[in-house]
Amino acid sequence: PSPGRLAIRAQLLGYDGNPFVSDPADCVRHESDGLILVADGRISHVGPYVADLVPPGVELHEYRDALLMPGFIDAHVHYAQTPMIGAYGKQLLDWLETYVFPIEQRYADPDFARAMARLFFAQELAAGVTTTLSYCTVHPGSVDAYFEEAARLGLRAGAGKVLMDRNAPEPLRDTAQRGYDDSRRLIDRWHGRGRLFYAVTPRFAPTSTPAQLEAAGALFAETDGVCMQTHLSENLAELDWVRALFPDALDYLDVYDRAGLVGPRSLFGHAIHLSPREWDRLAGAGAAVVHCPTSNLFLGSGLFDLRRALIAGNPVRTALGSDIGAGTSFSPLATLNEAYKVAALRGEALSAHRAFYLATLGSARALYMDDRIGRLAPGYEADFAVLDLAATPLLRERLRFADTLEEALFVLMTLGGAGCVRATYAAGRLVHDRTRSDASAQA
Ligand code: GUN
Ligand code: ZN
């Protein structure tokens, strides 16, 4: 066998362009019987299957009744909240106090953090997700646990230590200076190591003083390629609180803008209740928003405006997120299924091509990583999700009644869920195989 080399035969689907602004037919790349060659963790060839193209000695993985796509991206998630998914009965601010702050205190224990990082990545891989951008907790050890596991799996992954210096329980608070110093050390340790990247992570405006937001802005400005992630306009009570805490700001986004936190590589989770000014500023700054529909429905936060985000004259880079533990599924298919329903409640329709673009190349673009992940093209990192089109009798039979590719994709996103992921590859390595590692992945 040739080390570092691999060939995969499957039906292939990916996007080379943005179907929100261009004709989907010009954006989609589809091979009903395709071949991908991988060398040294990257795609070296994509095209129709031709037996002679598989170099001698290279292992061939063949998938029947399956669709291979670029590995999915989960651009907004809290790995530390994995053990409290599905917490009953509250909206955002009460939910944070009642459920989130207690569980996050457990991450003072590095063993607990390591166990949860393992559980978290097993779930993401089982859902076909190969790139995650996660919040950790205030504890630097929670970041080490996350990056150690991501490195072990060879994933492209980002994360950051949560910054919180007010309006949180004492054990979860840092200070502007300590948050800066801890983040600085973590950036030096992890950013740019292998495929890992750091994200400066003020939780949201209410839990940081202006001084801490300034310090976050300095960190964000100091290091090339570092991301910034926070929450923006998720819940109406949160908006009232931000107005009371920052009476001088023009609006919620302006709180972040004044601290230098709005620009390329800043990612704002939720972005539901925004003014036209905030949308225009996000677009102009090259910043991104992350749509988290299962979370927004679960916490009753509101309905994301996909039309303004992506179809308007000046669209905003938009990614997709599970927002675990307010989100209720690791599966991007389940997330897209809910995104469709959120659009439906606004009188709109999210097409399958646009949906799958959002979970792949669209999210890569929001991260400014669309030159390396999110596409099936030579030179791109070999991260793949292989979806089983016969995962359940219902899916298999329903797909027989789908006449077009787009109809089949729409059925897949409606019925598929995490259960349809047959295999997941990261940098050309098989990191999840449902037929072999069900037990460990689901554990
Ligand atoms: N806003 C501030 N913190 C959080 C969080 O942990 N989850 C969600 N959904 N919103 C937040
Ligand atoms: Zn969140």
Side-chain angles (χ1 to χ4, degrees):
S2 305
R5 303 191 70 181
L6 175 68
I8 305 175
R9 179 182 186 182
Q11 184 181 168
L12 308 178
L13 179 83
Y15 296 89
D16 294 332
N18 178 352
F20 284 94
V21 297
S22 308
D23 183 343
D26 298 333
C27 301
V28 63
R29 175 192 288 254
H30 179 241
E31 295 286 353
S32 48
D33 181 13
L35 175 69
I36 292 193
L37 300 179
V38 175
D40 297 321
R42 289 175 184 272
I43 298 170
S44 58
H45 173 87
V46 189
Y49 176 76
V50 179
D52 287 350
L53 287 176
V54 181
V58 168
E59 199 178 328
L60 175 65
H61 294 190
E62 290 192 84
Y63 294 100
R64 299 207 176 275
D65 277 334
L67 178 67
L68 181 148
M69 298 188 57
F72 297 120
I73 297 168
D74 184 352
H76 182 112
V77 60
H78 303 255
Y79 97 83
Q81 294 172 17
T82 303
M84 48 68 69
I85 298 168
Y88 174 77
K90 310 276 187 188
Q91 286 215 350
L92 176 65
L93 300 177
D94 292 329
W95 172 86
L96 282 171
E97 292 258 350
T98 312
Y99 301 114
V100 173
F101 291 159
I103 200 79
E104 290 196 0
Q105 294 182 48
R106 307 255 335 242
Y107 290 77
D109 172 4
D111 289 333
F112 185 77
R114 279 191 282 270
M116 290 307 123
R118 275 196 297 277
L119 172 66
F120 167 78
F121 280 112
Q123 297 304 311
E124 291 282 22
L125 293 178
V129 175
T130 52
T131 286
T132 51
L133 174 51
S134 181
Y135 292 61
C136 300
T137 66
V138 75
H139 316 94
S142 73
V143 182
D144 292 327
Y146 172 94
F147 278 131
E148 280 162 14
E149 182 64 3
R152 193 181 70 77
L153 294 163
L155 305 179
R156 179 165 285 288
K161 178 202 115 71
V162 162
L163 300 165
M164 277 203 281
D165 67 348
R166 65 168 166 176
N167 294 322
E170 190 280 327
L172 290 181
R173 289 201 304 267
D174 51 16
T175 63
Q177 186 64 47
R178 193 149 54 81
Y180 176 91
D181 292 342
D182 285 346
S183 302
R184 187 70 255 159
R185 265 192 297 277
L186 289 163
I187 290 168
D188 294 341
R189 187 176 308 153
W190 293 110
H191 184 67
R193 184 158 151 190
R195 295 207 289 160
L196 307 177
F197 59 97
Y198 196 84
V200 177
T201 307
R203 174 171 226 117
F204 68 154
T207 48
S208 287
T209 58
Q212 180 162 69
L213 295 175
E214 289 288 329
L219 287 163
F220 184 40
E222 275 165 19
T223 317
D224 245 19
V226 160
C227 293
M228 193 292 302
Q229 59 180 348
T230 191
H231 295 87
L232 174 67
S233 280
E234 175 178 5
N235 168 287
L236 293 173
E238 171 203 9
L239 259 71
D240 288 341
W241 197 15
V242 170
R243 257 191 295 270
L245 289 170
F246 298 91
D248 297 339
L250 292 175
D251 46 41
Y252 196 160
L253 183 67
D254 191 47
V255 172
Y256 296 132
D257 220 348
R258 289 172 182 219
L261 295 170
V262 181
R265 292 190 180 79
S266 47
L267 292 105
F268 296 94
H270 307 296
I272 297 171
H273 311 284
L274 296 183
S275 65
R277 192 207 79 83
E278 289 171 296
W279 279 114
D280 289 343
R281 173 63 187 143
L282 287 164
V289 296
V290 189
H291 181 24
C292 306
T294 75
S295 166
N296 298 161
L297 294 173
F298 185 74
L299 292 182
S301 301
L303 304 175
F304 181 75
D305 190 350
L306 201 71
R307 165 167 293 280
R308 172 59 191 89
L310 284 148
I311 302 167
N314 55 348
V316 174
R317 290 171 191 251
T318 303
L320 192 70
S322 69
D323 194 33
I324 295 293
T328 51
S329 177
F330 281 93
S331 168
L333 300 186
T335 305
L336 291 173
N337 182 20
E338 299 305 290
Y340 178 82
K341 295 171 190 171
V342 167
L345 282 165
R346 298 185 68 105
E348 282 157 24
L350 172 62
S351 75
H353 283 318
R354 287 174 166 184
F356 281 104
Y357 164 82
L358 267 188
T360 56
L361 185 60
S363 288
R365 210 170 155 265
L367 289 165
Y368 286 79
M369 291 181 183
D370 48 319
D371 59 342
R372 58 198 73 177
I373 56 172
R375 276 180 69 195
L376 300 181
Y380 276 68
E381 296 171 1
D383 297 342
F384 311 125
V386 182
L387 309 179
D388 181 357
L389 301 175
T392 63
L394 175 61
L395 181 62
R396 187 186 62 226
E397 292 307 310
R398 175 63 183 87
L399 285 174
R400 290 179 39 207
F401 294 92
D403 296 326
T404 64
L405 172 66
E406 183 148 29
E407 195 185 337
L409 291 171
F410 186 68
V411 168
L412 181 62
M413 103 186 196
T414 305
L415 297 182
C420 78
V421 177
R422 165 82 177 71
T424 307
Y425 293 81
R429 260 182 62 217
L430 185 61
V431 286
H432 169 73
D433 182 346
R434 197 183 60 197
T435 60
R436 270 190 269 163
S437 62
D438 239 8
S440 68
Q442 306 298 333

Short mmCIF file of all heavy atoms in Angstrom, two decimals, residues 22 51 59 63 70 73 98 101 114 138 179 190 198 209 257 298 324 347 399 416 430:
data_model
loop_
_atom_site.label_atom_id
_atom_site.label_comp_id
_atom_site.label_asym_id
_atom_site.label_seq_id
_atom_site.Cartn_x
_atom_site.Cartn_y
_atom_site.Cartn_z
N SER A 22 -25.71 32.84 -7.85
CA SER A 22 -25.55 32.37 -9.23
C SER A 22 -26.53 31.23 -9.50
O SER A 22 -27.07 30.63 -8.57
CB SER A 22 -24.13 31.84 -9.46
OG SER A 22 -23.17 32.78 -9.06
N ALA A 51 -11.25 3.26 -13.97
CA ALA A 51 -10.43 2.29 -13.21
C ALA A 51 -8.94 2.55 -13.42
O ALA A 51 -8.15 2.47 -12.48
CB ALA A 51 -10.80 0.86 -13.62
N GLU A 59 -4.95 2.02 -2.24
CA GLU A 59 -6.16 1.42 -1.69
C GLU A 59 -7.40 2.12 -2.27
O GLU A 59 -7.46 3.35 -2.32
CB GLU A 59 -6.12 1.62 -0.17
CG GLU A 59 -7.02 0.71 0.62
CD GLU A 59 -6.85 0.95 2.13
OE1 GLU A 59 -5.73 1.30 2.55
OE2 GLU A 59 -7.84 0.80 2.84
N TYR A 63 -18.02 2.99 -2.41
CA TYR A 63 -19.31 3.15 -1.72
C TYR A 63 -20.43 3.06 -2.74
O TYR A 63 -20.48 3.83 -3.69
CB TYR A 63 -19.36 4.48 -0.98
CG TYR A 63 -18.37 4.58 0.16
CD1 TYR A 63 -17.16 5.26 0.00
CD2 TYR A 63 -18.63 3.97 1.39
CE1 TYR A 63 -16.26 5.34 1.05
CE2 TYR A 63 -17.73 4.04 2.43
CZ TYR A 63 -16.54 4.73 2.27
OH TYR A 63 -15.64 4.80 3.29
N PRO A 70 -18.15 17.21 0.51
CA PRO A 70 -17.10 17.77 1.37
C PRO A 70 -17.55 17.63 2.83
O PRO A 70 -18.74 17.75 3.11
CB PRO A 70 -17.06 19.26 0.97
CG PRO A 70 -17.71 19.32 -0.37
CD PRO A 70 -18.71 18.21 -0.42
N ILE A 73 -19.27 21.60 7.96
CA ILE A 73 -18.66 22.57 8.88
C ILE A 73 -19.71 22.98 9.91
O ILE A 73 -20.83 23.34 9.55
CB ILE A 73 -18.16 23.81 8.08
CG1 ILE A 73 -17.06 23.38 7.11
CG2 ILE A 73 -17.68 24.90 9.03
CD1 ILE A 73 -16.70 24.43 6.07
N THR A 98 -29.47 28.71 34.56
CA THR A 98 -29.97 27.47 35.16
C THR A 98 -29.15 26.26 34.76
O THR A 98 -28.89 25.37 35.57
CB THR A 98 -31.45 27.25 34.74
OG1 THR A 98 -32.15 28.46 34.96
CG2 THR A 98 -32.08 26.10 35.52
N PHE A 101 -24.20 27.72 33.05
CA PHE A 101 -23.15 28.11 33.98
C PHE A 101 -22.80 26.99 34.97
O PHE A 101 -21.62 26.77 35.24
CB PHE A 101 -23.51 29.43 34.67
CG PHE A 101 -23.48 30.63 33.73
CD1 PHE A 101 -24.16 31.80 34.03
CD2 PHE A 101 -22.77 30.59 32.52
CE1 PHE A 101 -24.13 32.90 33.16
CE2 PHE A 101 -22.73 31.67 31.65
CZ PHE A 101 -23.42 32.83 31.97
N ARG A 114 -11.36 16.55 28.99
CA ARG A 114 -10.89 15.58 27.98
C ARG A 114 -11.97 14.57 27.61
O ARG A 114 -12.16 14.24 26.44
CB ARG A 114 -9.64 14.86 28.49
CG ARG A 114 -8.36 15.69 28.31
CD ARG A 114 -7.11 14.85 28.57
NE ARG A 114 -6.88 14.67 30.00
CZ ARG A 114 -6.16 15.51 30.75
NH1 ARG A 114 -5.56 16.56 30.20
NH2 ARG A 114 -6.01 15.28 32.04
N VAL A 138 -14.26 29.20 30.34
CA VAL A 138 -13.30 30.21 30.79
C VAL A 138 -11.94 29.58 31.11
O VAL A 138 -10.92 30.26 31.10
CB VAL A 138 -13.89 30.96 32.02
CG1 VAL A 138 -13.82 30.08 33.27
CG2 VAL A 138 -13.21 32.30 32.24
N GLY A 179 -7.84 37.32 31.14
CA GLY A 179 -8.42 36.77 29.92
C GLY A 179 -7.49 37.01 28.73
O GLY A 179 -7.29 36.13 27.88
N TRP A 190 -1.46 26.99 20.24
CA TRP A 190 -2.29 26.20 19.32
C TRP A 190 -2.50 26.80 17.93
O TRP A 190 -2.72 26.08 16.96
CB TRP A 190 -3.68 25.97 19.97
CG TRP A 190 -3.63 25.09 21.16
CD1 TRP A 190 -3.83 25.47 22.47
CD2 TRP A 190 -3.35 23.69 21.20
NE1 TRP A 190 -3.70 24.39 23.29
CE2 TRP A 190 -3.41 23.29 22.55
CE3 TRP A 190 -3.07 22.72 20.22
CZ2 TRP A 190 -3.19 21.97 22.95
CZ3 TRP A 190 -2.85 21.42 20.61
CH2 TRP A 190 -2.90 21.05 21.96
N TYR A 198 -7.13 29.50 16.21
CA TYR A 198 -7.70 30.06 17.43
C TYR A 198 -8.79 31.08 17.10
O TYR A 198 -8.74 31.75 16.05
CB TYR A 198 -6.60 30.73 18.27
CG TYR A 198 -7.06 30.97 19.69
CD1 TYR A 198 -6.98 29.95 20.64
CD2 TYR A 198 -7.62 32.19 20.08
CE1 TYR A 198 -7.43 30.15 21.95
CE2 TYR A 198 -8.08 32.40 21.37
CZ TYR A 198 -7.98 31.37 22.30
OH TYR A 198 -8.43 31.57 23.58
N THR A 209 -16.93 43.39 30.38
CA THR A 209 -16.85 44.84 30.55
C THR A 209 -16.31 45.45 29.26
O THR A 209 -15.67 44.75 28.46
CB THR A 209 -15.88 45.19 31.69
OG1 THR A 209 -14.60 44.64 31.36
CG2 THR A 209 -16.36 44.62 33.02
N ASP A 257 -18.26 46.69 17.55
CA ASP A 257 -17.51 47.49 16.57
C ASP A 257 -16.56 48.46 17.27
O ASP A 257 -15.40 48.62 16.87
CB ASP A 257 -18.51 48.27 15.70
CG ASP A 257 -18.10 48.31 14.24
OD1 ASP A 257 -16.94 47.95 13.93
OD2 ASP A 257 -18.94 48.69 13.41
N PHE A 298 -35.43 25.94 19.55
CA PHE A 298 -35.47 25.30 20.88
C PHE A 298 -35.63 26.35 21.98
O PHE A 298 -36.42 26.18 22.91
CB PHE A 298 -34.21 24.47 21.10
CG PHE A 298 -34.22 23.69 22.38
CD1 PHE A 298 -35.02 22.55 22.51
CD2 PHE A 298 -33.45 24.09 23.46
CE1 PHE A 298 -35.04 21.84 23.70
CE2 PHE A 298 -33.47 23.38 24.65
CZ PHE A 298 -34.27 22.24 24.77
N ILE A 324 -24.92 23.50 19.66
CA ILE A 324 -25.00 22.60 20.82
C ILE A 324 -24.46 23.36 22.02
O ILE A 324 -23.45 24.06 21.88
CB ILE A 324 -24.07 21.36 20.58
CG1 ILE A 324 -24.57 20.51 19.42
CG2 ILE A 324 -23.92 20.53 21.86
CD1 ILE A 324 -25.87 19.83 19.61
N GLY A 347 -42.25 32.57 5.18
CA GLY A 347 -42.86 32.60 3.85
C GLY A 347 -41.88 32.38 2.72
O GLY A 347 -42.10 32.77 1.58
N LEU A 399 -36.45 7.90 -1.88
CA LEU A 399 -35.56 8.39 -2.93
C LEU A 399 -35.88 7.78 -4.29
O LEU A 399 -35.59 8.38 -5.32
CB LEU A 399 -34.10 8.12 -2.54
CG LEU A 399 -33.54 9.05 -1.45
CD1 LEU A 399 -32.13 8.61 -1.03
CD2 LEU A 399 -33.52 10.51 -1.92
N GLY A 416 -32.67 12.57 6.37
CA GLY A 416 -31.38 11.92 6.61
C GLY A 416 -30.91 11.87 8.05
O GLY A 416 -30.72 10.80 8.63
N LEU A 430 -9.75 7.79 7.30
CA LEU A 430 -11.08 7.37 7.73
C LEU A 430 -11.18 7.56 9.24
O LEU A 430 -10.51 6.86 10.00
CB LEU A 430 -11.28 5.90 7.35
CG LEU A 430 -12.65 5.29 7.60
CD1 LEU A 430 -13.74 6.00 6.81
CD2 LEU A 430 -12.63 3.80 7.24
#
